Amino acid sequence: MRPLEADGDDDCGRAGAEESALCRLRSIAGHALFEGIHFDSLSPLLAQCEVRNLTVGQILLAPGQVNRQLFLVLDGQLKARIDHIDSENGFPIGPGECTGEISVIDCKPATAFVVAEEPSRVLVVAEEDLWGGFLQIPGIARNLMRLFAQRFRARTEVMQEALEQQLRYEHMQKELGIAREIQLGMLPHDLDLHLGPEIDLAAEMTPAHFIGGDFYDVFPIGADEYAIAIGDVSGKGVPAALFMVKTLTLLRSELLKSQPIEEVLRNVNQRLCEDNPTSMFATLIVAVVDKRTGCFRYASAGHDPILFGGPGRLFRPLPPPSGILIGLDETATYMVESLTLSRQDILVLYTDGATEAMDGEHRLFTLDRLTTCLDAQPTASAQGLADAVAVAVKQFSNGAVPSDDLTLVVLRYLGT
C-alpha cells in the first residue's frame, strides 16, 4: 500500500485532457476525511459512491428529513441555514468538510437546511458503506470526529453570535423605548394651560416607529396669547428625533422673546442652517392666538395648510403664507397671515401622516377624506375631532404598518 501523496501528480499528468477514473478517485481521496489514509484501501469504497452535482439554491437537506447518508463536499460551497430557508443565521460548508453526519450517527431527522450557495459537488456515502466500510479503516473514525468537532464548534459560534445579536437587539429596543418616553415627555400633555373657557384644545402625536420626527407645542407667551406649533422633520428614527428636539428647543426659545412670528421662523431657520451637516430639514407652522379677541396669526415653513371650519361651514384650507422649509436656506424669509376667530370656529393643524396614511394597497387617505371626517363632526369637542380622525385613519389603513408619524392639533374657539 502507498500513501496518496506518492504518485498522484504523475498519474494525473499522464491522464492528459481526459481525466482517468483513477485520477478522479485520487481527487476525491484528497478530502479531509481521508487525510493520512492509503489510497489503495480507499479506492474500492470510493468507486461505489455517487458523486452528486448541486445547482445554486438546490436543497441537500431540510429539517425533518430522514437522512441515511454522509455528504463530503468536494468543491463549491454549501450553507447550513438554521431558522428557515432564507435565514441569514447559519454557517458555510466548504470543500474538505462534510454534512449529514449528525443524522447518520443518531438516526434522527435533519435539523437544518443545507443549501448549495454555488454550483457544487458532493460525494454521497451511504450509511452501510460508512459503518461497514470506511469506518473499518484505521484513522477515518478519528478524522470524522475531528470534522464533527469542527462542525460543532462552528454551530456553537453561530448560536453564540445569534444570542449576542438578540441581547443587543433587546438592549437597543429598551434604549429606544426610553428615548420614546423622553421624546413624548417633551411634548405638552396638560393642555389646560390656564386657557380658560375661551379655547378648547386637543393635541396628540403617534409615532410610526419607536421614535419619530413629528412634534407639536402649545404654551402661553403672554396674559392672553398662546403659541401653537406643529412640525414634521425629514427622515425617520433617531436622526429625525434629534433634529426634532433641536428644532423644538430653538422654537420655544425664540417664541418666548416676544417677537413677531415671522422673525421667530427666520431665526430658527438660521440657527438650524448653521450646523446641519446631514442637510436635514423640517416643515413647520407657528401660530399665536389671542383668547380674548380671537385674533389668530400664523406663519408656515412649507407645512400642510391649516384647515378651518365649524358648525354650518365645511372645512377648507387656509391660505398658506409664503415660506420654505426650515434648515435649507439661511437667507429664507417668512410671511404672516391672520384672521379673527368667531365662536365655534375650528382650526386643525396636522402632519402628512394623516393625509398620506396608506392602506394595504398603497392608497392614500388624502386631504378629501380628512375634511370629510371633520365635516361629519360639526359639534364635537376638540378631543372628539382628534379622536375621530385617528379612528378614521386607523380604519382606512386596515392593519397596514404606518409609514409616517401622525400628529394633530385641534383648536375650537369658544369666544368670550
Side-chain angles (χ1 to χ4, degrees), residues 4 21-22 24-31 33-34 38-51 72 74 123-125 129 134 137 140:
L4 172 62
L22 181 62
R24 288 195 295 271
L25 291 179
R26 288 191 180 280
S27 173
I28 294 170
H31 191 278
L33 180 63
F34 309 124
H38 290 84
F39 178 70
D40 288 350
S41 60
L42 289 172
S43 56
L45 293 169
L46 294 177
Q48 64 190 32
C49 294
E50 171 196 357
V51 174
L72 308 183
L74 303 178
L123 181 72
V124 183
V125 180
D129 292 330
F134 287 102
I137 301 174
I140 288 187

Side-chain angles (χ1 to χ4, degrees), residues 255-270:
L255 281 168
L256 290 171
K257 293 180 180 179
S258 300
Q259 57 185 328
I261 53 178
E262 62 269 31
E263 291 299 308
V264 168
L265 267 181
R266 185 177 66 84
N267 293 338
V268 170
N269 174 65
Q270 288 180 346

Side-chain angles (χ1 to χ4, degrees), residues 31-37 138-148 150:
H31 191 278
L33 180 63
F34 309 124
E35 182 180 347
I37 308 302
I140 288 187
R142 178 198 60 215
N143 291 342
L144 181 61
M145 290 301 296
R146 183 173 65 249
L147 292 174
F148 181 81
Q150 291 172 351

Side-chain angles (χ1 to χ4, degrees), residues 85-373:
I85 189 63
D86 298 318
S87 174
E88 293 299 321
N89 293 329
F91 50 86
I93 306 171
E97 297 182 278
C98 64
T99 187
E101 72 281 1
I102 295 179
S103 53
V104 167
I105 291 173
D106 65 10
C107 298
K108 294 182 179 180
T111 58
F113 288 98
V114 178
V115 185
E117 295 282 285
E118 57 186 61
S120 307
R121 288 190 313 145
V122 297
L123 181 72
V124 183
V125 180
E127 181 182 34
E128 57 271 20
D129 292 330
L130 176 65
W131 296 108
F134 287 102
L135 290 180
Q136 301 303 313
I137 301 174
I140 288 187
R142 178 198 60 215
N143 291 342
L144 181 61
M145 290 301 296
R146 183 173 65 249
L147 292 174
F148 181 81
Q150 291 172 351
R151 174 60 43 73
F152 183 77
R153 184 178 295 111
R155 179 169 290 196
T156 300
E157 290 174 354
V158 169
M159 293 176 63
Q160 178 68 23
E161 182 179 350
L163 177 60
E164 291 175 355
Q165 288 178 347
Q166 178 65 25
L167 291 175
R168 286 195 293 268
Y169 174 78
E170 291 176 357
H171 182 69
M172 181 184 68
Q173 294 294 94
K174 183 177 180 180
E175 288 186 338
L176 287 175
I178 294 172
R180 175 189 174 96
E181 293 302 317
I182 292 174
Q183 182 187 29
L184 294 178
M186 295 187 65
L187 306 179
H189 296 283
D190 182 7
L191 294 179
D192 180 17
L193 299 169
H194 306 292
L195 290 173
E198 297 89 355
I199 294 177
D200 177 23
L201 191 71
E204 57 185 48
M205 192 268 280
T206 305
H209 306 285
F210 264 100
I211 50 179
D214 280 11
F215 61 91
Y216 66 86
D217 208 354
V218 181
F219 59 93
I221 57 174
D224 298 321
E225 289 188 325
Y226 292 83
I228 301 173
I230 190 170
D232 185 359
V233 173
S234 62
K236 303 287 187 299
V238 174
L242 293 175
F243 196 80
M244 165 260 178
V245 170
K246 184 176 182 180
T247 304
L248 187 59
T249 302
L250 289 173
L251 184 60
R252 288 176 176 175
S253 175
E254 293 295 329
L255 281 168
L256 290 171
K257 293 180 180 179
S258 300
Q259 57 185 328
I261 53 178
E262 62 269 31
E263 291 299 308
V264 168
L265 267 181
R266 185 177 66 84
N267 293 338
V268 170
N269 174 65
Q270 288 180 346
R271 293 285 300 277
L272 290 176
C273 289
E274 288 174 2
D275 184 18
N276 189 11
T278 57
S279 299
M280 297 195 74
F281 56 87
T283 65
L284 180 66
I285 284 179
V286 181
V288 174
V289 60
D290 188 312
K291 68 178 184 179
R292 297 295 180 188
T293 66
C295 178
F296 182 81
R297 293 171 287 125
Y298 62 101
S300 174
H303 198 82
D304 294 283
I306 300 172
L307 298 179
F308 176 60
R313 184 189 303 111
L314 297 179
F315 279 85
R316 60 179 176 81
L318 290 178
S322 175
I324 66 169
L325 311 170
I326 56 173
L328 294 180
D329 180 5
E330 61 182 6
T331 65
T333 57
Y334 299 89
M335 304 298 292
V336 174
E337 295 283 352
S338 64
L339 75 158
T340 300
L341 300 175
S342 300
R343 288 177 59 86
Q344 302 302 324
D345 280 346
I346 302 170
L347 299 168
V348 178
L349 291 69
Y350 61 95
T351 60
D352 58 12
T355 55
E356 296 181 7
M358 291 187 292
D359 64 7
E361 298 180 3
H362 301 286
R363 293 175 298 187
L364 300 179
F365 187 71
T366 71
L367 180 61
D368 286 343
R369 286 190 175 89
L370 177 58
T371 55
T372 298
C373 174

